[in-house]
Amino acid sequence: MCAHAGATHAQFTPQDEEVCPAAAGVVDPEFYSAGRRMVFMDRSNRLKVTTLRSDGSLGPGGCRGTVIDERATLSVPGFPLINGGEWALSQRGSEIYYTRLDDSGRVEMAVAKENGGTWDVQAVEASSDRGLPIPSMDGSDPQARILYARVRESGYELMWRESTDPTTERTFGAHIVQASGGAPRWVRGERAITTTQLDSNGVAQAVRIDIDTSVVDVLTQDTDPKDEVWMWRAPEFGSARVFIAVAGGSQLRVYREEGASWNLINALDATAFSARSGIYSPEPTIIDGRSYVVMQLSNQKVGPSEIWVASIDPALPLLRQVSDPAAAGKVRTEPEWVHTSSGAFIYYTQNEGRGRAGLRRASTGL
């Protein structure tokens, strides 16, 4: 069931180009394809947004963008991960949730919404000592849900809530691994979170948490530690639920719900098609009725890397390097899907050393 190099990348030539030079200071970009927007931080901790043209190139704001907030931050005290602005979608429209510092220097969550060409910013109610929100993207919801970290004297705890109602705040359990950067995720179209929790043997297993009942469904039970769990409905399998997880740090596994069981249907072993043995930052998407995953291949989270795209369906395999293979020593991180009128592209960050990084765009041929 593991992927081999034979079924991969014939008839494809990577087209990998610079979008923003390192001097532009684009940090942690996130994209909203339908709204043709990119939100990002700069090296002065300012939250910015810029427009995208229909072909996915940057609009008039370019790499400089428009400043939304000058007090944004990527981190929360005591929490091992960092994160910038994230897009949300609900009946309230598209919004950006992020972390900033209040007047006394404490972290809080904030939300920004575009209004007639300008951006209105508000603190999220009752969000002091909370940050790094990851919002839901379900347009039919009355409001976005957010999951986030809350600062405690003894460290942190993970919470979720309805974005505009602090009385809904609840905790949930997750196993966070700093070395991989894996984070809990919302299940699109469901009031549920996927993440990992440790079993009785101390092995991280994939789980789905129903946020209304707090029921935890354990999805895997073998001996390989899991990370980066994403769940969605796959059109190629009649909209059956599927999820991906990185197993043992180097294998992307695909599971399909069949009756009351979750069955392993595909496994892509990084060592079978790359000299980079680790899989980081996988992210799924759907293109023309098929599911694909982009991933960073590297021997460590920040190190010489490659960016690859794969299909999840073993009957219609696709495995394709989209970053420039000639630039083998480049440090590439955080690949992101962007859907355009010219097809799907991958935007990613390329580290240039001394805390500087450029933004690049790779064609997928999809």
Side-chain angles (χ1 to χ4, degrees):
M1 190 176 292
C2 291
H4 298 282
T8 63
H9 35 247
Q11 308 300 319
F12 179 78
T13 301
Q15 300 177 46
D16 180 0
E17 61 184 358
E18 183 178 80
V19 175
C20 295
V26 174
V27 178
D28 194 26
E30 296 286 341
F31 298 87
Y32 175 40
S33 296
R36 298 183 187 174
R37 296 289 187 272
M38 177 179 83
V39 63
F40 60 100
M41 299 272 283
D42 67 13
R43 290 195 294 269
S44 298
N45 284 328
R46 295 182 298 180
L47 187 74
K48 295 182 172 182
V49 70
T50 195
T51 58
L52 301 175
R53 295 187 176 95
S54 62
D55 65 356
S57 61
L58 295 189
C63 305
R64 183 175 55 193
T66 299
V67 176
I68 295 177
D69 197 324
E70 296 187 347
R71 298 188 302 184
T73 180
L74 289 162
S75 62
V76 165
F79 191 67
L81 307 182
I82 61 174
N83 200 39
E86 293 278 353
W87 292 100
L89 191 63
S90 70
Q91 291 179 19
R92 294 161 54 91
S94 61
E95 301 169 303
I96 300 169
Y97 283 84
Y98 63 101
T99 313
R100 70 174 182 181
L101 302 179
D102 65 16
D103 292 337
S104 62
R106 296 167 63 183
V107 295
E108 66 179 3
M109 294 187 291
V111 58
K113 184 173 178 58
E114 193 170 16
N115 183 7
T118 62
W119 287 85
D120 295 333
V121 173
Q122 296 181 18
V124 173
E125 183 182 356
S127 69
S128 183
D129 293 324
R130 296 160 173 82
L132 308 188
I134 298 178
S136 58
M137 288 286 290
D138 291 323
S140 62
D141 284 354
Q143 60 186 307
R145 290 162 270 122
I146 49 177
L147 56 87
Y148 51 92
R150 182 179 182 182
V151 179
R152 294 293 198 185
E153 289 185 5
S154 58
Y156 68 89
E157 59 185 343
L158 295 175
M159 321 285 293
W160 81 269
R161 58 175 273 193
E162 306 287 352
S163 58
T164 65
D165 186 356
T167 67
T168 60
E169 184 177 68
R170 301 289 186 274
T171 62
F172 69 95
H175 177 59
I176 302 296
V177 181
Q178 183 175 14
S180 69
R185 306 290 178 184
W186 288 109
V187 180
R188 188 69 65 89
E190 299 182 18
R191 292 178 59 82
I193 297 167
T194 50
T195 185
T196 61
Q197 293 183 358
L198 299 180
D199 64 16
S200 59
N201 295 314
V203 178
Q205 301 292 356
V207 301
R208 175 190 179 276
I209 304 172
D210 185 303
I211 60 173
D212 295 318
T213 65
S214 298
V215 170
V216 177
D217 293 323
V218 179
L219 306 174
T220 60
Q221 298 179 338
D222 55 35
T223 58
D224 295 317
K226 313 304 183 302
D227 199 3
E228 289 283 18
V229 184
W230 296 73
M231 183 180 290
W232 71 99
R233 291 190 177 274
E236 60 264 62
F237 301 133
S239 295
R241 290 195 298 182
V242 299
F243 75 88
I244 59 168
V246 176
S250 63
Q251 191 176 81
L252 185 78
R253 294 183 182 173
V254 183
Y255 298 80
R256 176 180 176 179
E257 186 178 33
E258 296 176 295
S261 301
W262 287 97
N263 297 323
L264 179 65
I265 63 168
N266 202 359
L268 306 177
D269 193 331
T271 60
F273 56 92
S274 173
R276 313 295 182 190
S277 62
I279 297 177
Y280 299 90
S281 301
E283 182 175 317
T285 197
I286 296 172
I287 303 170
D288 295 332
R290 294 185 63 194
S291 303
Y292 300 89
V293 178
V294 65
M295 50 192 162
Q296 169 197 335
L297 300 188
S298 180
N299 293 330
Q300 56 187 15
K301 174 66 174 173
V302 180
S305 311
E306 302 163 355
I307 306 299
W308 288 72
V309 168
S311 69
I312 69 165
D313 188 350
L316 294 170
L318 180 142
L319 188 58
R320 175 176 290 172
Q321 183 175 353
V322 298
S323 59
D324 183 1
K330 294 297 183 180
V331 178
R332 306 171 169 103
T333 60
E334 302 298 332
E336 301 272 348
W337 289 99
V338 177
H339 298 263
T340 81
S341 61
S342 302
F345 292 85
I346 303 300
Y347 277 77
Y348 68 88
T349 297
Q350 182 166 293
N351 295 346
E352 303 294 352
R354 295 178 296 176
R356 302 166 72 248
L359 180 66
R360 298 186 67 85
R361 183 177 77 161
S363 173
T364 67
L366 299 172

